[in-house]
Amino acid sequence: MYLLYSMQQSANSYKARLALSLLEQPFSLVDVDILSGGNRTPAYLALNPAGQVPMLVLPDGRTLPESGAILHYLAEDTALLPQERFARAEMLRWMFFEQHSHDPFIGQARFWLALQKGGRALKQNLLEEWEDRGYEALSIMNTHLGTHPFFAGDVPTLADIALYANTHLAAEGGFDLGPFQAVRVWLQRFAKVPGFVSMDWRPAAAETSAA
Ligand SMILES: N[C@@H](CCC(=O)N[C@@H](CS)C(=O)NCC(=O)O)C(=O)O
């Protein structure tokens, strides 16, 4: 069975939990509290030198950090990973966009403003850039979603999982989704995909333990 090192409130961890649910893959959770340094212990750094969640442990013991890599590994030979060349490249386009132009602004804003105590004061000098670049990302997404039901092709792919995680939490980072109607409609559409689970979901059968 897969083992997922995860923090429940972490959007990047949610991507992995959501993919495992959509793919009906059983897994166990290990909770890592990054807010109290659980990701910086020698034991965790030995597993993932980047000190981040999520991290997937395969049944044979190999470890795989980075949400995008985890999604890609899990989705092999499933509809979430398009086989058609252009659709697959489109999926990757939006996953790279998420890591470079979305998570660093919308995800960081939400982390420091909603999760990290005193985060607003600590990151005051970055708030304006996060706001500008975050709204720019939402605008780009909104334009694309105005003419596409999902990010890559007509069916949900890993790109939708990657972008759903922080977008549905954008208000926690101070972003108003009101002007982005196509984004709001897509959020609702994606939440109806069979196997979808919300961020607070935990696998019922899985053993969970604190790292
Ligand atoms: N590029 C990584 C980013 C992972 C990441 O930033 N995880 C956050 C939680 S959402 C984390 O572990 N932060 C703790 C740290 O960076 O020290 C991914 O997509 O998995």
Side-chain angles (χ1 to χ4, degrees):
M1 200 195 296
Y2 293 117
L3 190 63
L4 183 70
Y5 285 73
S6 155
M7 186 172 84
Q8 201 68 31
Q9 310 101 302
S10 145
N12 285 305
S13 299
Y14 174 44
K15 295 174 196 169
R17 297 194 303 270
L18 181 51
L20 285 157
S21 171
L22 290 167
L23 294 166
E24 299 180 6
Q25 290 288 324
F27 66 103
S28 290
L29 275 181
V30 180
D31 292 307
V32 180
D33 184 1
I34 65 172
L35 298 172
S36 63
N39 55 327
R40 295 285 160 189
T41 64
Y44 191 72
L45 289 172
L47 290 170
N48 179 6
Q52 294 185 324
V53 285
M55 184 186 63
L56 186 72
V57 184
L58 308 189
D60 65 10
R62 285 179 294 174
T63 54
L64 187 61
E66 287 294 334
S67 61
I70 293 170
L71 298 186
H72 198 274
Y73 180 85
L74 292 172
E76 181 79 358
D77 290 332
T78 76
L80 289 176
L81 180 58
Q83 290 306 303
E84 196 276 319
R85 189 176 181 177
F86 188 75
R88 195 171 64 244
E90 274 278 271
M91 179 202 78
L92 288 171
R93 164 199 169 188
W94 287 106
M95 291 177 78
F96 293 139
F97 167 87
E98 188 271 339
Q99 288 282 292
H100 184 73
S101 306
H102 187 274
D103 178 69
F105 310 112
I106 296 176
Q108 288 296 303
R110 182 249 172 188
F111 179 81
W112 288 96
L113 299 182
L115 297 186
Q116 188 71 56
K117 210 170 169 193
R120 180 179 292 277
L122 283 170
K123 298 292 174 182
Q124 192 64 41
N125 59 326
L126 293 173
L127 298 182
E128 192 177 330
E129 186 194 2
W130 287 348
E131 183 176 320
D132 289 350
R133 299 290 303 272
Y135 275 123
E136 187 182 0
L138 289 169
S139 175
I140 291 167
M141 291 165 65
N142 200 60
T143 301
H144 184 76
L145 291 168
T147 52
H148 300 78
F150 296 103
F151 277 98
D154 293 336
V155 294
T157 67
L158 300 181
D160 298 280
I161 298 175
L163 280 161
Y164 182 88
N166 269 310
T167 305
H168 92 291
L169 300 168
E172 293 185 16
F175 294 93
D176 176 13
L177 290 184
F180 304 103
Q181 197 203 352
V183 170
R184 287 187 284 107
V185 169
W186 162 76
L187 287 173
Q188 289 168 4
R189 183 181 300 124
F190 185 66
K192 290 186 185 128
V193 170
F196 174 89
V197 287
S198 60
M199 192 163 177
D200 56 5
W201 175 82
R202 296 169 70 83
E207 293 168 25
T208 63
S209 56

